Amino acid sequence: MPNDEQGSGKIPYDVIASIAGTAVLKNECVYELAGGLTDSLSLSILGKDSAGKGIKISRNDDGLDLDIHIIVEFETKIPQLAWEIQAAVKEAVEAET
């Protein structure tokens, strides 16, 4: 994100997770994002689905790492799908941030 005259902006992780999740779900081989225990608790206790369900974001020296957990359609070629998802998420996050 370029710096403007008022300073640099910071984008919340849940916004990045939402952008990434939208990009992942556009692929027809992805059935859904796979949430973990915290996503299940959020749904059962709070009654709302997490926007970043199945996506974990962590900071590293070079930027951010996104771990994306998905459920795929039967007979999907996983390696090819992984490359497609990686490219789509990178493009979407870079374009929106």
Side-chain angles (χ1 to χ4, degrees):
M1 176 177 235
N3 291 339
D4 58 355
E5 293 179 36
Q6 297 178 359
S8 64
K10 293 187 179 184
I11 300 170
Y13 283 177
D14 60 336
V15 172
I16 295 171
S18 179
I19 293 168
T22 301
V24 169
L25 293 173
K26 286 182 180 178
N27 190 303
E28 61 187 29
C29 294
V30 176
Y31 180 71
E32 68 179 344
L33 292 166
L37 177 64
T38 56
D39 293 323
S40 297
L41 290 174
S42 169
L43 184 59
S44 62
I45 294 173
L46 301 176
K48 62 180 181 178
D49 204 6
S50 172
K53 173 183 168 184
I55 300 174
K56 178 186 169 204
I57 301 176
S58 57
R59 180 172 296 282
N60 64 26
D61 294 336
D62 299 324
L64 297 176
D65 285 331
L66 279 72
D67 293 324
I68 301 173
H69 301 270
I70 58 172
I71 299 172
V72 300
E73 296 290 340
F74 185 68
E75 294 185 350
T76 297
K77 296 178 182 174
I78 306 268
Q80 179 63 34
L81 177 62
W83 285 111
E84 291 172 8
I85 287 173
Q86 183 178 6
V89 168
K90 181 180 179 190
E91 181 179 322
V93 171
E94 287 177 348
E96 296 292 327
T97 58

